């Protein structure tokens, strides 16, 4: 009864939560080479994001790798994939971007996963592995603990006629770890998904019309479940994203039978029992189908996609509050080490620091007894905001015991320390 009362109270406050936000067009950030249906990967250490592939304004599928530098506001093409790709999957793994799928039936290598090293630009992509399971379009996927989870999609024409609906692919061993269900030309496509803890939530998609269904795949047990909750608006071809600072997920844009492009956004709160609460959120300024989105600190940036008239949307939008979150191209006023999140943490935690001016930086982890555990970052950094992950390992690669640790930031102007708690 108590839980039901809390849920009812939360439902009553949801409209107020949504009213506290709005989407703002980022003036001067327009995409120089706008695309729809590409993939984006954010490198927090350099404050750059990389847009791969997609479909350009003339509806040609491209092989571009674009870079956008948040600090200087410049777009440029820094590489090319081995073949054009559209509505495919890309993830960051170590210092590489791994990507597969989304090629046309005319492509020679439909079942190839490529890798591109963003730390050694200029660099050429190379073949990471070849698997029939990579020969699919309209799929989604995530990497966790060196395991790539491939979800849904459909086999590429003239490729395999049927593939597993969910695949666990071991990146270290380059082998299939497990499979679940089957996917074919008659299964939903252009679904959206969010990985949170040990659950992958799968939203909507299209199969004989746009869907409003929500499913959950527990990766710790390999158990699939269809949830009773539904999307407020049936949709496919949107983008799903979870912001760890806001502790909230979002389903953004897409399309359905009545709208060729949607500007509506649905917010999602994830409950401890695996269920979800969904409520309407602030709408985008521009309707978008097949857009892209990244997290940047306490905000989300959405870009690309096509509008209701089929035109590419070159404008970027960020999520802001009426009081105004700090602008992404605004240099911080002071050097600052923010509190890590999550805290306490189990497997990993994110550490954010800000530099008001270019500076020498040392970011170090110490034990409760003052012993040096690890140097996370050291060198000369430009002014801006940086995000670093710590996986609970020391300088020798050993997992450290549970307990209290300290992260310390040293710059030319500041020494600041924050306490962290590691749980097991």
């Amino acid at each position: 009864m108590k839980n039901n009362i809390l849920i009812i109270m939360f439902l009553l406050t949801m409209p107020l939560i949504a009213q506290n936000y709005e989407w703002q067009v980022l003036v001067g950030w327009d995409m120089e080479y706008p695309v729809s249906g590409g993939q984006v990967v954010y490198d927090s250490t350099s404050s750059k994001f990389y847009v791969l592939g997609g479909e350009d304004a003339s509806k040609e599928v491209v092989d571009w790798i674009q870079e956008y530098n948040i600090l200087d506001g410049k777009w440029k093409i820094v590489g090319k994939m081995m073949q054009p790709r559209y509505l495919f999957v890309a993830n960051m793994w170590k210092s590489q971007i791994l990507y597969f799928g989304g090629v046309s039936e005319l492509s020679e290598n439909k079942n190839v996963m490529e890798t591109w090293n963003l730390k050694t630009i200029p660099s050429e992509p190379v073949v990471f592995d070849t698997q029939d399971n990579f020969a699919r379009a309209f799929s989604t996927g995530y990497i966790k603990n060196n395991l790539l989870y491939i979800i849904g999609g459909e086999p590429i024409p003239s490729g395999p006629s049927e593939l597993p609906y969910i695949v666990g692919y071991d990146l270290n061993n380059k082998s299939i770890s497990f499979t679940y269900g089957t996917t074919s030309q008659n299964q939903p496509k252009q679904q959206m998904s969010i990985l949170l803890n040990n659950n992958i939530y799968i939203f909507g998609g299209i199969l004989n019309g746009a869907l409003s269904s929500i499913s959950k795949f527990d990766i710790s047990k390999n158990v699939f479940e269809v949830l009773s909750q539904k999307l407020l608006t049936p949709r496919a071809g949107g983008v799903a994203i979870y912001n760890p600072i806001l502790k909230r997920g979002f389903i953004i844009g897409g399309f359905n039978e009545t709208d060729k492009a949607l500007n509506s956004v649905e917010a999602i709160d994830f409950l401890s029992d695996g269920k979800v609460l969904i409520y309407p959120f602030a709408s985008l300024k521009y309707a978008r189908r097949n857009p892209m989105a990244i997290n940047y600190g306490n905000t989300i940036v959405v870009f690309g996609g096509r509008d209701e008239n089929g035109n590419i949307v070159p404008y970027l939008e960020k999520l802001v509050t009426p009081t105004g979150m700090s602008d992404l191209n605004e240099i911080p006023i002071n050097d600052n080490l923010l509190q890590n999140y999550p805290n306490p943490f189990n497997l990993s935690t994110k550490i954010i620091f800000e530099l008001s001016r270019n500076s020498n930086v040392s970011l170090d982890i110490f034990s409760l007894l003052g012993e040096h555990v690890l140097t996370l970052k050291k060198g000369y950094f430009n002014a801006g905001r940086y995000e670093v992950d710590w996986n609970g390992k020391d300088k020798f690669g050993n997992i450290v015991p549970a307990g209290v640790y300290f992260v310390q930031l040293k710059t030319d102007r500041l020494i600041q320390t924050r306490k962290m708690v590691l749980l097991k």
Side-chain angles (χ1 to χ4, degrees), residues 91-294:
N91 278 267
M92 177 83 82
W93 186 58
K94 300 180 179 177
S95 61
Q96 309 168 74
I97 300 177
L98 299 177
Y99 49 92
F100 67 90
V103 296
S104 74
E105 58 182 307
L106 302 177
S107 300
E108 294 183 3
N109 301 310
K110 303 176 183 63
N111 56 355
V112 168
M113 177 188 286
E114 299 176 25
T115 178
W116 183 75
N117 193 329
L118 57 82
K119 301 297 184 182
T120 58
I121 298 173
S123 63
E124 296 295 326
V126 297
V127 173
F128 183 83
D129 194 15
T130 301
Q131 292 269 353
D132 280 348
N133 279 293
F134 302 150
R136 61 178 81 202
F138 314 121
S139 57
T140 180
Y142 292 95
I143 294 173
K144 183 170 183 178
N145 298 331
N146 298 313
L147 201 64
L148 168 64
Y149 295 89
I150 305 171
I151 302 116
E154 66 177 29
I156 293 169
S158 73
S161 61
E162 191 173 88
L163 294 169
Y165 179 64
I166 299 178
V167 176
Y169 174 78
D170 189 317
L171 292 167
N172 286 328
N173 298 322
K174 297 185 178 181
S175 62
I176 301 299
S177 176
F178 74 89
T179 63
Y180 176 87
T182 58
T183 183
S184 67
Q185 299 285 358
N186 299 316
Q187 294 294 323
K189 60 184 180 182
Q190 296 200 56
Q191 295 180 292
M192 302 145 284
S193 66
I194 287 175
L195 170 63
L196 182 61
N197 300 323
N198 287 323
N199 291 313
I200 298 176
Y201 295 85
I202 306 165
F203 305 92
I206 188 164
L207 177 64
N208 301 320
L211 306 174
S212 58
S213 58
I214 303 175
S215 304
K216 181 184 71 172
F217 185 71
D218 186 333
I219 63 177
S220 65
K221 303 173 183 176
N222 289 351
V223 173
F224 184 86
E225 176 186 0
V226 177
L227 301 184
S228 59
Q229 294 88 353
K230 303 287 185 182
L231 292 175
L232 304 177
T233 301
R235 69 181 74 210
V239 62
I241 189 168
Y242 178 81
N243 186 284
I245 296 180
L246 299 176
K247 300 186 185 302
R248 186 168 290 131
F250 301 90
I251 308 296
I252 302 168
F255 65 93
N256 56 30
E257 291 88 340
T258 58
D259 294 286
K260 293 182 179 180
L262 293 164
N263 69 344
S264 61
V265 177
E266 299 180 25
I268 303 170
D269 285 306
F270 298 89
L271 307 181
S272 59
D273 61 1
K275 293 183 172 58
V276 298
L277 291 174
I278 302 178
Y279 47 97
F281 204 73
S283 296
L284 296 170
K285 294 291 190 287
Y286 291 89
R288 302 170 188 259
R289 62 184 288 162
N290 300 322
M292 296 159 282
I294 62 164

Side-chain angles (χ1 to χ4, degrees), residues 236-411:
V239 62
I241 189 168
Y242 178 81
N243 186 284
I245 296 180
L246 299 176
K247 300 186 185 302
R248 186 168 290 131
F250 301 90
I251 308 296
I252 302 168
F255 65 93
N256 56 30
E257 291 88 340
T258 58
D259 294 286
K260 293 182 179 180
L262 293 164
N263 69 344
S264 61
V265 177
E266 299 180 25
I268 303 170
D269 285 306
F270 298 89
L271 307 181
S272 59
D273 61 1
K275 293 183 172 58
V276 298
L277 291 174
I278 302 178
Y279 47 97
F281 204 73
S283 296
L284 296 170
K285 294 291 190 287
Y286 291 89
R288 302 170 188 259
R289 62 184 288 162
N290 300 322
M292 296 159 282
I294 62 164
N295 282 314
Y296 188 85
N298 60 357
T299 192
I300 294 169
V301 179
V302 178
F303 52 100
R306 292 189 182 276
D307 64 18
E308 57 270 31
N309 297 315
N311 300 316
I312 295 279
V313 183
Y315 312 112
L316 280 71
E317 299 182 48
K318 71 170 181 178
L319 184 62
V320 300
T321 65
T323 56
M325 293 179 178
S326 57
D327 200 348
L328 298 192
N329 54 11
E330 177 182 294
I331 299 300
I333 297 173
N334 299 301
D335 293 1
N336 188 26
L337 174 64
L338 282 68
Q339 184 65 56
N340 66 300
Y341 69 90
N343 189 43
F345 69 98
N346 185 350
L347 297 176
S348 67
T349 188
K350 189 175 292 293
I351 299 165
I352 301 174
F353 64 94
E354 298 174 332
L355 301 178
S356 59
R357 297 190 297 278
N358 296 358
S359 176
N360 293 295
V361 169
S362 182
L363 186 68
D364 299 272
I365 306 293
F366 294 91
S367 71
L368 183 61
L369 299 177
E371 299 165 325
H372 185 258
V373 175
L374 175 71
T375 297
L376 286 171
K377 289 291 176 183
K378 191 174 183 65
Y380 190 76
F381 287 74
N382 292 330
R385 183 184 178 100
Y386 298 87
E387 300 178 8
V388 184
D389 291 318
W390 183 43
N391 59 4
K393 294 183 180 180
D394 65 16
K395 66 185 78 174
F396 305 108
N398 301 316
I399 297 175
V400 300
V404 175
Y405 292 85
F406 295 93
V407 56
Q408 184 181 82
L409 173 69
K410 287 185 180 180
T411 73

